[in-house]
Amino acid sequence: DTSATQPNQLAGVSCASSTSCVAVGTFVNASKVDQTLVETFNGFTWHLAASPDTSATQPNQLAGVSCASIFYCSAAGNYSNGFVRQTLVVVNAPLSTNGYWFVAADGGIFSFGNAKFYGSMGGRHLNAPIVGMGHATGM
């Protein structure tokens, strides 16, 4: 739990092995706003992990996670841009970079932590909203 006095909720868990699991969900910050929650399991204990939030004053939630390997997980949820809910997709960077990328439904891509920024489609007209994001090896 991130706080003993505020609600915390896990919504999804994925394990790539018996010693590598990731769980995602939501916690409520001191301002009473939902924020993303990520916890990792190393085979012995669960640890709170850094997680991306688009804003500390607008709701951010992760609803599910899938780990293809011990080095690669993707999580999905939503965030508010202040007006409407938008899709939030988080892809972890390789473990050596200790970071994440997340993509908004409008095509905006944001790097978090030490993940390298490769560009964004934010501000450009898209024919449909973004619903997912992948990471090619070797990036």
Side-chain angles (χ1 to χ4, degrees), residues 110-124:
F110 309 90
S111 57
F112 175 77
N114 295 329
K116 184 177 176 183
F117 181 71
Y118 291 101
S120 176
M121 292 298 291
R124 297 204 174 123

Side-chain angles (χ1 to χ4, degrees), residues 10-32:
L10 291 174
V13 63
S14 181
C15 297
S17 73
S18 62
T19 59
S20 178
C21 296
V22 175
V24 300
T26 305
F27 77 96
V28 177
N29 68 12
S31 299
K32 309 268 191 250

Side-chain angles (χ1 to χ4, degrees), residues 19-87:
T19 59
S20 178
C21 296
V22 175
V24 300
T26 305
F27 77 96
V28 177
N29 68 12
S31 299
K32 309 268 191 250
V33 178
D34 288 348
Q35 299 292 283
T36 60
L37 173 63
V38 177
E39 296 193 22
T40 60
F41 180 70
N42 63 11
F44 299 101
T45 58
W46 286 93
H47 300 278
L48 187 62
S51 63
D53 288 306
T54 61
S55 167
T57 61
Q58 296 293 328
N60 301 276
Q61 302 173 337
L62 291 173
V65 63
S66 177
C67 296
S69 74
I70 63 170
F71 302 106
Y72 184 83
C73 295
S74 297
N78 62 73
Y79 74 98
S80 174
N81 65 6
F83 302 102
V84 295
R85 290 277 187 183
Q86 300 287 322
T87 301

